[in-house]
Amino acid sequence: MTVHDVHEVRSFEHPGAGRRKAKATPKGRQIDPTAAHDVEQLLGDRPRRRDLLIEFLHLIQDKYHQISAAHLAALADEMKLSFAEVFETATFYAHFDVVKEGQPDVAPLTIRVCDSLTCAMLGGEKLLEQLQDSAGPGIRVVRAPCVGRCDTAPVAEVGHNFVDQATVESVLATAKAGETHAHLPDYVGYNAYVAGGGYRLLNRLRAGDVSNDEILKALDNASLRGLGGAGFPTGRKWRAVLGEPGPRLMAVNGDEGEPGTIKDRYYLETDPHRFLEGMLIGAHVVEAADVYVYIRDEYPAVREILAREIAKLPAGGPRLHLRRGAGAYICGEESSLLESIEGKRGLPRHKPPYPFQVGLFGLPTLINNVETLWWVRDIVEKGADWWKSHGRNERQGLRSYSVSGRVKNPGVKLAPAGITVRELIDEYCGGMADGHTLHAYLPGGASGGILPATMDDIPLDFGTLEKYGCFIGSAAIVILSQADSVKAAALNLMRFFEDESCGQCTPCRVGTQKAAMLMERPVWNRALLEELGQAMRDASICGLGQAASNPLSSVIKYFPDEFKEAAE
């Protein structure tokens, strides 16, 4: 029924109420013609597929620095989706600034200041306050969770340009100069990589000179494990996917959001084709026709590098799809990653079925971390014995330790698996920062727990930390000194988990919030906190809620002096 078909209707409220005209507009949200034109122009000839929703939201956000209700409605109409579907997806991700009807527009320029643990330790919170006081009109200053540059803390992001070791002066100078785009570092490009023997293994595999079994045997013999945190044996994972009926897909997890973790960014910004070759080898082995590479939104330089270098690859092989995250730590969880690639909220899926059985778009899917794939070429070409020749303290292999905090030379340190934190600091980081002594350390990022300096001789590897209530995860090592409060560090981490909880399950959504509230008090209720932590571990859907209480438990267990002082 059109507007012109609407007739007058009689009111039945009471006799003699007279006649009343119906509203001359149809029900439902109306599409603004200007917004519809904007969206149509932005999308161009791209297919209007549901899985591209987040990519299209980025187009609007990048163009207008916000997403208005009119643009959301126009996008929903263009994609033949309900407004609710588009709205719930846009508002799930932190990097989409959704402006509801009646709200003021977002400032043209946004400055994000990291307030995760390492940046907070090195002045990030003070920097945030000072910038909020002095930024001036047209600039919005907001806090941000870890941006993956812990080695150059504190860090601020001006538009999409990062300011390392940031000060108020350097950040505002960058904003004033209009330097809002990412700067690309020097890296090994396609020609240089090929000149150094790159893609020779892939070409031999595709030509049949190297078999799939040889690749899998090399991975098995080297005992390569997933280096994103879970540590699942790589060869076994590839075999599991290959054992499922086709068609099959592959997804790459480049969403390293764990505070303290910077290794994937480092490898992608220095030698991206080594990763790409490992990825293409994996896709060939499992016969994946399409590969989806999911890179976190905090890595604009990485996305640009990959887009440029993928375009240089010869024709043939699987179709490669580069997908952009939108500021959601939860999407580092494998099933949440799949949901996000499909253009939806990053809510973890219930398991089973597992992604290797029912994954992306309902098909068997191989999911690997960036660094895991980065090592495939070396392990196959140099042999499993080469890989296993490295290691200390009865451990084997190499690990990329992301070290930040109170050391002289933070950064990614390629070291033998099983090295201790004391050895790592002394041999690879130049020692502790001047005036600082080791007080505590995080062996596995925000969720890996906290250990005291007296336990500095534990080998850092898979399976060595679990008996202490900790784990290695992605090997993000954050060093605390006598200048840092372990209680404050644990609270910072719990606030991070509270912010990043997807909200799907009550134990995590409410548990992290309640734990943060209790930890803010000068006197901790130990019994209640321990009960709350146990409930989160037992009942949360995914690893975020299950591991969120690890730092809290560590403070209670390993720092009795600080905890006792707080409990009196």
Side-chain angles (χ1 to χ4, degrees), residues 448-451 468-470 549-559:
I450 308 175
L451 292 173
Y468 305 107
C470 300
S549 64
N550 286 345
L552 162 65
S553 300
S554 296
V555 173
I556 295 174
K557 184 175 182 179
Y558 295 116
F559 299 89

Side-chain angles (χ1 to χ4, degrees), residues 404-417:
S404 64
R406 308 291 187 176
V407 293
K408 286 184 179 178
N409 302 313
V412 176
K413 310 297 179 181
L414 183 60

Side-chain angles (χ1 to χ4, degrees), residues 168-200:
V168 173
E169 293 75 20
S170 63
V171 173
L172 293 181
T174 301
K176 184 177 180 180
E179 299 175 358
T180 59
H181 298 287
H183 296 292
L184 300 190
D186 293 331
Y187 63 90
V188 179
Y190 177 76
N191 291 333
Y193 183 73
V194 171
Y199 291 113
R200 183 169 52 196

Side-chain angles (χ1 to χ4, degrees), residues 43 47-53 56 74-81 86:
L43 270 55
R48 273 53 169 173
R49 298 199 315 266
R50 176 67 170 82
D51 61 289
L52 293 173
L53 175 58
F56 295 160
L75 179 60
D77 183 68
E78 185 72 17
M79 298 186 69
K80 303 297 186 288
L81 298 172
V86 177

